[in-house]
Amino acid sequence: LYMAPMSARFEIGAGEVYLYSGQYEEALRAADRALAIDSTNAGTFLVRGYAYGEQGRYEEAAAAASMCIALGWDVHGRALLGYLYARSGRRREAQSIADSMTAQWRERSAGNTVPDLAMGIAQIYVGMGEGVRALDWLERAVGTDPYLLYLGIDPTFRSLRSAPRFVALLEKLRL
């Protein structure tokens, strides 16, 4: 089964719960269990990347983000990498990723199929400390990104939690 205990997806889900509750070592242990079951599941590396990033372990986090990209989760992997670059002071590289994702968003937005791009761009801008730009992109993500469901608990956006626009966005999303 997809979410059966002892499945990679189950362990990744557990890792996400730990990640969103600030238990980064537990998130890493769950990701390790998922990796032992299926070393090709990109979600494992996404959990690892965010957990390492929240711990300030940027090199390990960047390696995990690169694995996400290599395993086909390009948008999530690039968003994570851009966020990590921003958090670690590599602003030029972060901006470059944000610019390339913005160009991709513009190309795809004509067909109104832009899942994950807008929220990923928002993550990069929040990592750079540009809350207004991050909120602009989060508002663009409404209706296109299922991950907005986690917006209120995602540690990536903790710096925005007291911003009136962020609170209004959570209310709009009924979160």
Side-chain angles (χ1 to χ4, degrees), residues 98-114 117-118 121 125 133 137 140:
D99 290 345
S100 72
M101 290 178 75
T102 299
Q104 185 180 3
W105 185 84
R106 286 187 181 127
E107 290 170 12
R108 292 175 61 192
S109 66
N112 207 22
T113 55
V114 196
L117 278 169
I121 296 165
Y125 283 120
R133 289 178 86 177
W137 281 102
R140 288 181 182 112

Side-chain angles (χ1 to χ4, degrees), residues 61-156:
S66 295
M67 283 300 298
C68 283
I69 295 166
L71 291 169
W73 282 24
D74 181 67
V75 171
H76 292 285
R78 285 189 302 144
L80 173 55
L81 196 57
Y83 173 71
L84 295 167
Y85 284 161
R87 294 261 324 259
S88 65
R90 296 172 63 180
R91 188 175 179 92
R92 183 175 300 139
E93 292 100 326
Q95 186 64 59
S96 177
I97 293 172
D99 290 345
S100 72
M101 290 178 75
T102 299
Q104 185 180 3
W105 185 84
R106 286 187 181 127
E107 290 170 12
R108 292 175 61 192
S109 66
N112 207 22
T113 55
V114 196
D116 309 331
L117 278 169
M119 190 164 176
I121 296 165
Q123 287 179 328
I124 296 169
Y125 283 120
V126 81
M128 288 195 287
E130 295 189 28
V132 172
R133 289 178 86 177
L135 285 163
D136 291 344
W137 281 102
L138 285 173
E139 289 169 351
R140 288 181 182 112
V142 173
T144 67
D145 195 323
Y147 288 98
L148 282 175
L149 175 66
Y150 304 105
L151 188 59
I153 59 172
D154 186 332
T156 306

